[in-house]
Amino acid sequence: MIKVLYVISNLNVQGPVRQLLYLCKYINKEQIRPYIVTISQTSFDKSLHSKFLELGVVIFDLKLKEVKSILFAHTEIQKIITDNNIDIIQSFGFRSDIISSKLINVFKITTVRNTLLFNWKMVWGSFLGTIFGNIHRYYIQKFDSIIACSTAVHNYLRKLLIKSYTIVNSLDTEIISERLNFELITEKRKLLNLPIIATINITVSSQLKGKNIEFLIKSFQANSLLNSYLIIAGFVDPVIVQECSKYDNIIIVGKINNLKDYLQASNFFISASLHEGMPNAVLESMAVGTPVLLSNIPSHKEIFEKANCEIGKIFDNNNYNDFFLSYKELLNSDYNKLSSNCIDTIKNHFNARKMAIEYENYYFAILKI
């Protein structure tokens, strides 16, 4: 029995936590026993704790604030490792990496889910971003092994002379569903107060500038796309919300708990991201049969390469002419075929059951069992 302790700041609803949930759900618990330690979870309203507990995962909540956690969390985690005979720790995130790098007498893994230095620069700007990015780079190189969430991230790390092993982000097979028929889509659009007869596109935004949401907004303000709708889920700057209020075809729904409903009600998912690790929202849209229109960044192109069939279109990022051309080509494509190909791609290449098996094999390999 291999015992693995996952170190993470909190279990709030976000991409890395969902990936961890899928892993804990499908990993063979007769061979691998998962534990979790949260460093700073103090509020449990938006946490997925209950989901992990239902899977039989033991959770330790340290409840330490940020500065205190950097100073003292590794001591508490080291005790958990000793008391429970932990074989492997796997770290998720910047602060967790700093803390976990200090642990001893255990095999240490970290998980990289973005284009490290570029991501930090997008969050903190060129000066501070470079500093934080290099600090993060320093700490992840202290680990025994590094897992990249995509081939794109693996290749990026290789350019930084950092070795990594690739296990691609995937989706729970229970999320996968066939594309709704016209009647059910109509019902869903009525419930969501969306236009019934219209081409509806959806994107997911956040506070990260790398989502490049302004490009999509300007695209749908153009005369040629005024008859197409763009739904924006997630955080949008209040100034941008105000500017978009005069455009009927741009619908900002903010942070929502029913993204799947909006994905099913939409014709296409669009992303103009400047960088991604392996975008959950894109995979989730494909899992319900919603084709995609994506910027030409490495992780997006990786999805198309794995699909090896038509699932949508790639456009030159920040190029309005190419975006409009790609969108027009998408409208003229065989929609049913695209939809079916999207679902098959998730089943065959982004399946959480397969991801769990890869982790199982990886854990046994590194411990040479």
Side-chain angles (χ1 to χ4, degrees), residues 41-292:
Q41 188 90 56
T42 54
S43 173
F44 296 85
D45 294 340
K46 299 179 181 179
S47 168
L48 291 175
H49 267 65
S50 61
K51 298 290 185 183
F52 285 97
L53 293 173
E54 288 171 8
L55 297 174
V57 180
V58 177
I59 303 175
F60 303 93
D61 296 305
L62 303 186
K63 299 180 181 179
L64 298 173
K65 293 184 178 179
E66 290 188 5
V67 175
K68 195 173 182 180
S69 70
I70 298 278
L71 296 173
F72 303 112
H74 73 281
T75 303
E76 296 192 36
I77 296 173
Q78 192 69 61
K79 186 175 185 306
I80 293 170
I81 290 170
T82 302
D83 291 347
N84 293 276
N85 298 312
I86 300 296
D87 300 293
I88 297 169
I89 66 101
Q90 186 166 340
S91 176
F92 291 77
F94 179 52
R95 192 151 46 98
S96 297
D97 288 345
I98 294 176
I99 294 164
S100 298
S101 68
K102 304 174 186 177
L103 301 173
I104 59 174
N105 300 324
V106 68
F107 194 95
K108 295 180 291 189
I109 303 170
T110 183
T111 315
V112 179
R113 299 188 180 276
N114 55 50
T115 49
L116 201 65
L117 299 181
F118 186 77
N119 185 71
W120 279 106
K121 288 179 182 179
M122 293 301 299
V123 176
W124 289 98
S126 181
F127 179 70
L128 287 177
T130 300
I131 293 173
F132 282 121
N134 281 302
I135 291 173
H136 200 177
R137 177 182 182 177
Y138 168 79
Y139 278 105
I140 68 171
Q141 290 180 289
K142 287 178 169 290
F143 283 77
D144 299 306
S145 184
I146 298 169
I147 292 180
C149 73
S150 66
T151 302
V153 170
H154 168 82
N155 291 338
Y156 175 82
L157 291 174
R158 187 166 58 183
K159 292 178 181 177
L160 299 178
L161 303 180
I162 298 173
K163 293 181 180 180
S164 64
Y165 182 81
T166 305
I167 300 181
V168 177
N169 278 5
S170 297
L171 287 185
D172 189 344
T173 52
E174 293 182 3
I175 294 175
I176 301 172
S177 63
E178 297 302 317
R179 182 67 179 166
L180 299 182
N181 60 37
F182 178 78
E183 289 76 16
L184 291 175
I185 292 175
T186 298
E187 283 298 314
K188 200 165 283 284
R189 288 187 176 187
K190 286 179 180 178
L191 290 173
L192 298 173
N193 197 30
L194 297 174
I196 304 302
I197 307 298
T199 300
I200 297 179
N201 309 277
I202 185 168
T203 191
V204 174
S205 181
S206 75
Q207 290 180 283
L208 299 176
K209 293 180 180 179
K211 293 298 182 182
N212 199 22
I213 199 68
E214 292 88 350
F215 171 79
L216 291 183
I217 289 173
K218 288 181 180 178
S219 296
F220 279 84
Q221 290 173 350
N223 290 333
S224 59
L225 292 187
L226 288 179
N227 292 325
S228 292
Y229 288 80
L230 176 67
I231 297 173
I232 306 174
F235 173 84
V236 180
D237 187 286
V239 174
I240 296 177
V241 173
Q242 183 62 33
E243 291 175 355
C244 290
S245 62
K246 54 189 168 184
Y247 292 91
D248 294 335
N249 68 323
I250 299 176
I251 303 170
I252 299 176
V253 296
K255 294 181 179 180
I256 52 176
N257 297 319
N258 59 337
L259 178 61
K260 183 177 179 180
D261 292 327
Y262 280 92
L263 292 174
Q264 290 176 318
S266 300
N267 297 96
F268 304 107
F269 181 94
I270 303 180
S271 172
S273 286
L274 301 173
H275 65 102
E276 295 278 0
M278 177 52 67
N280 283 332
V282 174
L283 301 183
E284 288 170 9
S285 72
M286 292 171 59
V288 297
T290 303
V292 295

Side-chain angles (χ1 to χ4, degrees), residues 15-55:
V17 178
R18 288 194 183 279
Q19 291 298 315
L20 180 55
L21 181 64
Y22 303 153
L23 175 57
C24 289
K25 179 176 180 178
Y26 289 114
I27 205 160
N28 186 345
K29 297 181 187 63
E30 292 183 0
Q31 295 182 313
I32 297 167
R33 182 174 298 169
Y35 298 77
I36 293 175
V37 58
T38 70
I39 298 167
S40 301
Q41 188 90 56
T42 54
S43 173
F44 296 85
D45 294 340
K46 299 179 181 179
S47 168
L48 291 175
H49 267 65
S50 61
K51 298 290 185 183
F52 285 97
L53 293 173
E54 288 171 8
L55 297 174

Side-chain angles (χ1 to χ4, degrees), residues 307-329:
N308 197 28
C309 58
E310 283 292 320
I311 56 173
K313 295 292 179 182
I314 291 276
F315 66 92
D316 292 336
N317 212 1
N318 292 323
N319 183 327
Y320 291 104
N321 288 333
D322 195 61
F323 177 82
F324 296 142
L325 178 61
S326 298
Y327 184 70
K328 183 178 179 180
E329 290 176 351

Side-chain angles (χ1 to χ4, degrees), residues 8-20:
I8 194 166
S9 292
N10 59 65
L11 293 177
N12 293 340
V13 181
Q14 52 188 322
V17 178
R18 288 194 183 279
Q19 291 298 315
L20 180 55

